[in-house]
Amino acid sequence: MVTNKPDLSDARYAAFVWARFFRLMRWMTLAAITTVAVVLAVLWHWGGPLPIHLIIGTALGVFFTIWLTAALMGLVFLSSGSGHDEVAGERFEEQR
């Protein structure tokens, strides 16, 4: 099956798709930082002053959990939305 949709082999389209992905990641970085601030504020409100190790561990854990989740989901949407999945599926079918 031949598709007329552009895929990642087209340099201009690939640049557009990757720019969209990195724009998403910038927004998700801001969301992760905001979430870290909210979580630390809630912890301080419930327990008073926090030890520095708890602050560092919580901040890194929350930030990287949100950031890694966003990166992986963004790559799934990039792969699906850019036509890369269809191209890979066609190549797999040709090998059968």
Side-chain angles (χ1 to χ4, degrees):
M1 174 165 68
V2 177
T3 60
N4 292 331
K5 289 177 57 176
D7 61 9
L8 292 179
S9 62
D10 178 13
R12 287 181 47 205
Y13 186 68
F16 166 74
V17 169
W18 282 109
R20 186 175 60 184
F21 173 75
F22 288 122
R23 186 174 57 243
L24 167 78
M25 289 309 297
R26 282 193 299 271
W27 279 107
M28 290 311 297
T29 300
L30 180 63
I33 291 170
T34 304
T35 305
V36 166
V38 169
V39 167
L40 290 176
V42 168
L43 285 175
W44 180 81
H45 179 71
W46 282 349
L50 303 173
I52 189 69
H53 297 95
L54 180 68
I55 294 171
I56 293 170
T58 301
L60 290 176
V62 170
F63 178 82
F64 283 114
T65 298
I66 292 172
W67 203 73
L68 181 61
T69 302
L72 293 174
M73 287 303 297
L75 288 173
V76 167
F77 289 123
L78 178 138
S79 177
S80 175
S82 67
H84 185 72
D85 288 350
E86 289 83 10
V87 172
E90 289 172 4
R91 290 181 186 155
F92 181 72
E93 289 296 324
E94 290 172 0
Q95 291 178 357
R96 281 188 169 185

